[in-house]
Amino acid sequence: MTKNAIVLGAGIVGVSTAIHLQRRGRQVTLIDRKEPGNETSFGNAGLIQREGVMPYGFPQQLGLLLRYALNNRIDAHYHLKALPSQLAFLARYWWNSNPKRHEMITKAYAPLIENSITEHKDLIEASHAEALIRRDGWMKIFRTEAKRDEAFVEAAAWKDQFGVSYESLTSADIARLEPSITGNFVGGLRWIDPWSVLDPHALTRAYRSYFESLGGRFVSGDAASLGQAGSGWKIMTSEGSLEADDAVLALGPWAAVATRRFGYSFPLGVKRGYHMHYGVQGNAVLNNWTLDSERGYFLAPMNKGVRLTTGAEFATLEAPKTPVQLDRAEAVARTIFPLGERLDPEPWMGARPCTPDMMPIIGKAPRHQGLWFAFGHAHHGLTLGPVTGRVLAELMTGETPFINISAYSPNRFNP
């Protein structure tokens, strides 16, 4: 008999996992309380980051930490009331960001990133979503020679060790590539390998449609109703009770709550982020996905307008929006690019699910048969959705995953 599986969470990770399970002969039901792609996967910079081999670490330099403590930056912001509940997570995050430990984590993390483009390519072609994709990389621009030169040295090391491609840009190159950008930028760096997505939400919807074309289905339901049923799992959905042999929790920042019900304690933190779409003034054009590196905001030319994205906000998952970073970023962005009016009725906010060792949690639940985890992708959820879906589906169906995923095992937190 065909084995059934339910995948809880219809973001890019969950949809990709559902596809790969359906391809392998499972009858899969994808479940979420909202339509696919409407939570964390909705808002991001729209990059499939083949160059992102090094996870974002916690600052180690005392001077930089003191500057962050002032809480007036674009790339990071925190809620003072939230810090006591997050201190344990932040301490472990800081400890793992030590240069030696961070180097070891990067080597373990790299295989996921190295296969991100090829695994997306598979699903993009299968879902006929090519019109949503650009294949010309992205660039970061620098205001100081010191930061520019530091980035060049780092990029050269990444190219040697991980095979990522880049080109160095002069100020004249920036003016040629982005004639509508002004300011005293001393140079830039363009990552060549990454792909960009003109509408991340539309990409998740395209993957969902492909999943359904394979025979899978999507229904509404709440992960809080998941429970064991004999040797399998059951959940209440909009169509009534549903039972399956296997259940996958791909719930992003809500995974910590869902797994706690079954006795697991994952140190999952969140980094919230904001975005807003803008029109442009006159005939201005933004040609490239562009990071103002020393200010910490991103400008992305998407189908819905120029999307401005912010850095990380450390707050509780349920706290009200405080888009102060967006306001700060917009004020700076308008000095270098002629942004027009805001196009969204209010700033979008999402939460990135983060582990203190900066690697996702992928694999079998240590103490439950038929329960599987796929969450904790931090800044690279969009990038790593398809490769995560493939390796987890391979593991669930008895195949040997095509890359070594032992470093991402749930057992490292819940032995």
Side-chain angles (χ1 to χ4, degrees):
M1 294 179 62
T2 300
K3 294 187 73 174
N4 296 330
I6 53 179
V7 177
L8 301 180
I12 192 72
V13 174
V15 174
S16 299
T17 302
I19 288 171
H20 279 285
L21 284 170
Q22 192 73 28
R23 280 179 169 183
R24 286 163 174 77
R26 297 293 175 90
Q27 185 55 51
V28 183
T29 303
L30 181 65
I31 299 173
D32 203 314
R33 59 188 178 182
K34 294 185 178 180
E35 283 293 305
N38 271 15
E39 291 286 6
T40 306
S41 295
F42 186 91
N44 49 67
L47 290 173
I48 304 171
Q49 288 190 259
R50 169 61 184 89
E51 92 297 341
V53 289
M54 184 175 291
Y56 293 96
F58 197 92
Q60 299 289 292
Q61 303 90 347
L62 179 59
L64 184 56
L65 288 170
L66 291 174
R67 289 196 292 275
Y68 279 119
L70 296 175
N71 211 21
N72 59 4
R73 297 173 63 94
I74 295 171
D75 56 344
H77 180 71
Y78 61 88
H79 289 189
L80 188 60
K81 290 182 179 179
L83 289 184
S85 65
Q86 297 190 330
L87 280 179
F89 167 79
L90 292 173
R92 293 176 70 174
Y93 183 18
W94 173 83
W95 188 84
N96 280 310
S97 299
N98 170 276
K100 288 186 178 180
R101 284 183 285 273
H102 196 251
E103 183 179 358
M104 294 174 60
I105 288 169
T106 297
K107 290 178 180 178
Y109 185 69
L112 284 172
I113 292 290
E114 289 168 352
N115 289 280
S116 59
I117 293 290
T118 53
E119 293 307 309
H120 262 289
K121 181 176 184 292
D122 172 21
L123 300 192
I124 288 165
E125 292 176 351
S127 61
H128 307 293
E130 291 90 343
L132 295 172
I133 305 300
R134 281 179 44 178
R135 297 167 174 81
D136 51 2
W138 66 277
M139 71 178 192
K140 53 174 67 177
I141 52 180
F142 300 98
R143 296 167 179 266
T144 65
E145 294 179 354
K147 288 294 183 182
R148 178 200 63 190
D149 295 345
E150 179 183 322
F152 288 170
V153 170
E154 185 175 64
W158 289 9
K159 181 177 181 179
D160 291 342
Q161 189 169 2
F162 302 108
V164 296
S165 302
Y166 73 97
E167 64 177 347
S168 303
L169 304 175
T170 66
S171 55
D173 292 329
I174 295 171
R176 172 177 54 82
L177 292 168
E178 294 293 350
S180 297
I181 286 182
T182 58
N184 297 320
F185 293 100
V186 299
L189 186 150
R190 188 172 77 89
W191 295 110
I192 297 171
D193 301 318
W195 290 3
S196 45
V197 183
L198 291 163
D199 186 338
H201 186 215
L203 184 66
T204 304
R205 294 202 310 268
Y207 287 2
R208 177 256 183 103
S209 296
Y210 170 57
F211 162 67
E212 292 177 330
S213 77
L214 296 173
R217 66 190 188 118
F218 171 80
V219 299
S220 298
D222 192 332
S225 66
L226 181 69
Q228 292 181 276
S231 61
W233 298 86
K234 65 179 179 181
I235 188 171
M236 286 300 300
T237 75
S238 58
E239 299 182 4
S241 180
L242 177 67
E243 294 190 9
D245 303 285
D246 293 292
V248 178
L249 299 187
L251 293 167
W254 294 275
V257 175
T259 54
R260 196 175 299 128
R261 293 179 52 240
F262 301 105
Y264 297 99
S265 179
F266 290 104
L268 202 66
V270 294
K271 296 181 186 179
R272 306 200 313 179
Y274 299 84
H275 82 229
M276 171 62 67
H277 293 101
Y278 298 82
V280 298
Q281 298 179 33
N283 296 321
V285 175
L286 183 69
N287 296 310
N288 294 272
W289 271 247
T290 304
L291 173 68
D292 187 349
S293 185
E294 287 144 289
R295 295 296 184 267
Y297 66 90
F298 217 101
L299 293 174
M302 294 193 176
N303 287 344
K304 295 180 180 179
V306 174
R307 178 180 288 189
L308 186 155
T309 69
T310 67
E313 180 182 63
F314 294 91
T316 60
L317 185 59
E318 306 81 9
K321 292 180 181 180
T322 51
V324 294
Q325 290 164 285
L326 183 68
D327 294 337
R328 294 168 185 164
E330 179 183 324
V332 177
R334 288 187 181 280
T335 67
I336 71 162
F337 183 84
L339 291 174
E341 72 283 4
R342 288 187 170 192
L343 301 179
D344 303 323
E346 62 177 325
W348 180 88
M349 184 194 74
R352 310 172 184 96
C354 306
T355 64
D357 65 2
M358 295 158 277
M359 292 190 292
I361 294 168
I362 306 171
K364 182 183 179 300
R367 299 186 297 276
H368 289 81
Q369 187 66 29
L371 184 63
W372 308 83
F373 300 148
F375 52 83
H377 293 77
H379 296 262
H380 289 147
L382 174 63
T383 295
L384 298 180
V387 64
T388 296
R390 176 178 169 180
V391 295
L392 186 59
E394 288 171 339
L395 189 65
M396 291 175 65
T397 56
E399 300 176 48
T400 300
F402 79 106
I403 59 173
N404 183 355
I405 62 171
S406 60
Y408 325 128
S409 170
N411 292 285
R412 72 190 195 269
F413 296 120
N414 286 267

